[in-house]
């Protein structure tokens, strides 16, 4: 590592633990240039054909989108795509790109990119507000076309380097994160985002060290500078001194040794010092995490977030393909349970389908069970797939974003219909499959008693429960300081939920990030939570923490917590107990 430049530390928020060393690669905002390469004379027609196909594909996509929007919202709304379609049919544009391929002997996506950039520059420089507005349409359609180029030779890659590096980006969407090339990206840091965004959650489950909400602008960081990314403290250290490198290398070794120690608990049960059993399960987003679930010593999967798998490709997988994946989860987790959460599209995740207008408030919009209950055919397809897989292991079905009883009844009705159909078709399934709901909206927590009579379990989604209780967008770093897991209102809602469940004889889990927070474990044990579901990375230390706590002491402390008036008071009570019980696990 090069150590001759000035060491600079940029602070951000720790997004995913781990330390990475390597050169930086910066991706700024906006649509970036595709790779450029020279083509031979013979390749000109091939490149022109690739360009034609990309345009055709984009046209088909936009046509479909327009039809879809017309069906949903009417003809007027569909017209917003006319401007986009006109761009694709513009003769001057087509001629210029084809000419650029011939004259410059460059690959077609780069020729297209260069021509579009020229157009855009010219439009942005005018004072005409109509033209300025159209620049946004052109920008949008250009990105679509660029995504639609067929890359069937290995000269084309995305423009990330093919050496190991630390990716520094303005922002990464959850789907960008899900498709990160693990061989080359050692860690990432983003200017946007916060610790409870799905981007950060995915980084944790993929085991990629990450920082979110970097201070300053990533444009000021130079590609190829050496750096250390510290996902524990949120520090991005550019051009680290030899001494800093040495300290970090030692630190990293020490952390690895501590993890090895924890691995010894793998086969042990998660039982408090006074014999209270808690089920400790894992959160997963991809089936390739299943071996890690086993290695971590988890007793099942408490949350399989299916949206990343379902929405990752261009088309949603059908019933049989989904059933194959859920069967893989069931078989790998057997005899323990795996809880499959139905599609939770929307919010900061991938939308279920393209929308005519961006939602003004996606977190308060068309998300989770709201999508499933308006797209019943898709919902039923997923339910039938889960039910088919339930013949191969112990599965549970869980509905996200439940806000009240009616949604629970409506969702259960679709489960019942799916069961009836499978029964008639002689397809085996587990008729006793557990059905549960996420409690992540305050209105559902308040109705816990009523909802509990209709389901087999609750899983508290604290990530959303916090955001909806204190009205703080979980991905907005401007208000991240107000996002308080220990806010008294959040804890009281959790208490109402647990009591509602216990009164009706059902169990309660916690699958939000709070379940993996060592400082909060005493509070969760005190609340009487039956199951904790955490990322596999966190699981061994949470097991050790629970095994160091006494349930009766924690529930005694809980009485005080439920009387507390502020978040710091609650945090202090739980943290003190954690300090006393397992100081070696806390940083
Ligand atoms: C939650 O909200 O706590 C949760 C586990 O669901 P997600 O993070 O996927 O919204
Ligand atoms: Mg949620």
């Amino acid at each position: 590592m090069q150590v001759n430049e000035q060491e600079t530390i940029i602070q951000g928020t720790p997004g995913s633990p781990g330390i990475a060393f390597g050169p930086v690669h910066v991706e700024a905002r906006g649509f970036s240039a595709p790779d450029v390469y020279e083509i031979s004379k013979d390749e000109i027609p091939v490149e022109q054909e690739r360009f034609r196909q990309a345009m055709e594909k984009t046209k088909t996509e936009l046509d479909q989108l327009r039809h879809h929007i017309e069906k949903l919202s009417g003809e007027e709304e569909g017209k917003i795509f006319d401007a986009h379609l006109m761009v694709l049919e513009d003769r001057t544009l087509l001629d210029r790109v084809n000419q650029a391929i011939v004259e410059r002997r460059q690959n077609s996506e780069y020729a297209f990119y260069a021509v579009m950039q020229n157009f855009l520059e010219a439009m942005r420089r005018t004072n005409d507000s109509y033209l300025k507005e159209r620049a946004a349409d052109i920008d949008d359609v250009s990105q679509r076309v660029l995504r639609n180029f067929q890359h069937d030779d290995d000269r084309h890659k995305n423009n990330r380097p093919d050496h190991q590096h630390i990716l520094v980006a303005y922002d990464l969407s959850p789907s960008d994160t899900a498709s990160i090339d693990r061989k080359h990206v050692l860690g990432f840091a983003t200017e946007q985002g916060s610790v409870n965004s799905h981007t950060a959650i995915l980084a944790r489950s993929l085991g990629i060290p990450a920082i979110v909400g970097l201070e300053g602008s990533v444009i000021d960081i130079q590609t190829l500078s050496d750096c250390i990314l510290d996902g524990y403290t949120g520090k991005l250290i550019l051009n680290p001194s030899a001494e800093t490198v040495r300290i970090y290398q030692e630190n990293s070794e020490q952390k690895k040794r501590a993890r090895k120690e924890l691995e010894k608990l793998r086969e042990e049960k998660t039982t408090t010092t006074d014999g209270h059993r808690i089920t400790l399960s894992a959160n997963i987003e991809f089936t390739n995490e299943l071996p890690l679930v086993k290695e971590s010593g988890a007793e099942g999967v408490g949350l399989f977030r299916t949206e990343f798998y379902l929405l990752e490709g261009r088309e949603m997988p059908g019933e049989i393909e989904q059933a194959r994946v859920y069967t893989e989860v069931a078989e790998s987790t057997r005899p323990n349970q795996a809880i499959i959460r139905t599609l939770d599209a929307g919010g900061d995740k991938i939308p279920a389908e393209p929308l005519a207008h961006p939602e003004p408030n996606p977190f308060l919009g068309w998300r989770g069970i709201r999508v499933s209950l308006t797209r019943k055919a898709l919902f039923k397809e997923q339910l039938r797939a889960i039910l088919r897989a339930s013949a191969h292991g112990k599965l549970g079905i869980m509905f996200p974003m439940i806000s009240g009883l009616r949604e629970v009844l409506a969702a259960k009705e679709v489960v019942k219909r799916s069961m009836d159909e499978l029964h008639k078709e002689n397809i085996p399934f587990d008729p006793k499959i557990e059905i549960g709901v996420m409690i992540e909206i305050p209105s559902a927590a308040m109705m816990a008693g009523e909802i509990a009579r209709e389901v087999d379990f609750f899983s508290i989604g604290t990530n959303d429960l916090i955001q909806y209780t204190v009205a703080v967008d979980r991905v907005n770093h401007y208000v991240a300081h107000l996002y308080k897991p220990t806010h008294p209102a959040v804890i009281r809602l959790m208490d109402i939920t647990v009591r509602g469940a216990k009164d009706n004889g059902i169990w309660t889990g916690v699958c939000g990030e709070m379940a993996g927070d060592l400082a909060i474990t005493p509070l969760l044990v005190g609340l009487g939570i039956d199951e904790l579901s955490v990322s596999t990375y966190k699981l061994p230390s949470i097991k050790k923490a629970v095994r160091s706590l006494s349930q009766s002491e924690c529930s005694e402390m809980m009485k005080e917590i439920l009387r507390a008036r502020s978040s710091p008071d609650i945090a202090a009570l739980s943290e003190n107990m954690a300090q006393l019980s397992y100081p070696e696990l806390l940083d």
Side-chain angles (χ1 to χ4, degrees), residues 124-347:
R124 286 182 184 128
R125 272 200 303 265
T126 66
N127 289 325
D128 184 329
S129 59
Y130 171 75
L131 277 183
K132 273 194 176 153
E133 249 173 57
R134 286 222 41 215
D137 290 334
I138 295 198
D139 193 276
D140 192 23
V141 85
S142 304
Q143 296 191 46
R144 269 185 187 278
V145 175
L146 280 177
R147 281 198 299 268
N148 282 335
F149 272 92
Q150 280 289 335
H151 305 133
D152 45 12
D153 66 45
D154 55 3
R155 280 188 302 188
H156 184 94
K157 300 173 224 97
N158 68 25
N159 50 347
R160 290 199 185 136
D162 56 7
H163 57 78
Q164 291 197 317
H165 62 278
I166 289 170
L167 177 62
V168 175
Y170 173 74
D171 198 9
L172 290 176
S173 69
S175 57
D176 290 336
T177 312
S179 51
I180 259 177
D181 168 10
R182 302 280 310 281
K183 254 201 341 254
H184 294 125
V185 180
L186 302 168
F188 71 78
T190 60
E191 199 177 309
Q192 295 293 298
S194 68
V195 64
N196 291 297
S197 62
H198 285 93
T199 299
I201 291 175
L202 279 172
R204 291 193 284 272
S205 58
L206 296 168
I208 305 174
I211 301 175
V212 290
L214 271 185
E215 282 167 10
S217 166
V218 296
I219 293 177
D220 300 330
I221 300 175
Q222 259 181 19
T223 284
L224 289 181
S225 327
D226 281 327
C227 98
I228 298 174
L229 182 149
D230 180 349
Y232 296 101
T233 62
K235 285 188 169 57
L236 187 71
I237 308 171
L238 299 170
N239 308 308
S241 69
E243 178 58 6
T244 309
V245 172
R246 190 189 61 72
I247 293 172
Y248 266 93
Q249 271 162 350
E250 257 174 32
N251 193 332
S252 179
E253 283 309 312
Q254 206 181 324
K255 291 235 156 53
K256 273 187 207 147
R257 281 197 296 273
R259 277 199 77 72
K260 279 242 150 331
E261 264 311 294
L262 285 176
E263 276 167 21
K264 293 186 186 150
L265 290 178
R266 185 162 45 207
E267 305 302 329
E268 302 295 328
K269 293 278 177 245
T270 312
T271 310
T272 60
T273 53
D274 50 352
H276 178 75
R277 269 282 275 131
I278 284 185
T279 305
L280 190 53
S281 5
N283 289 351
I284 61 165
E285 281 77 31
F286 304 100
T287 49
N288 62 8
E289 291 175 78
L290 289 169
L292 283 177
V293 172
K294 282 211 174 117
E295 272 167 43
S296 70
E299 296 166 89
V301 170
L303 167 66
F304 176 21
R305 290 182 166 96
T306 55
E307 47 278 3
F308 299 102
Y309 150 64
L310 290 177
L311 303 173
E312 156 183 75
R314 277 184 187 278
E315 277 188 14
M316 190 140 9
E319 178 178 327
I320 300 300
E321 169 53 20
Q322 284 189 50
R324 189 190 61 71
V325 167
Y326 305 146
T327 302
E328 193 183 330
V329 178
E331 283 176 343
S332 160
T333 319
R334 210 169 46 195
N336 293 321
Q337 186 177 36
I339 294 172
I340 317 279
R341 182 174 73 181
T342 57
L343 181 70
D344 186 16

Side-chain angles (χ1 to χ4, degrees), residues 400-416:
M401 282 292 287
I402 290 292
S403 65
L405 195 58
R406 285 168 66 94
E407 283 158 343
V408 181
L409 298 177
K412 276 180 63 183
E413 182 52 39
V414 189
V415 176
K416 184 173 174 310

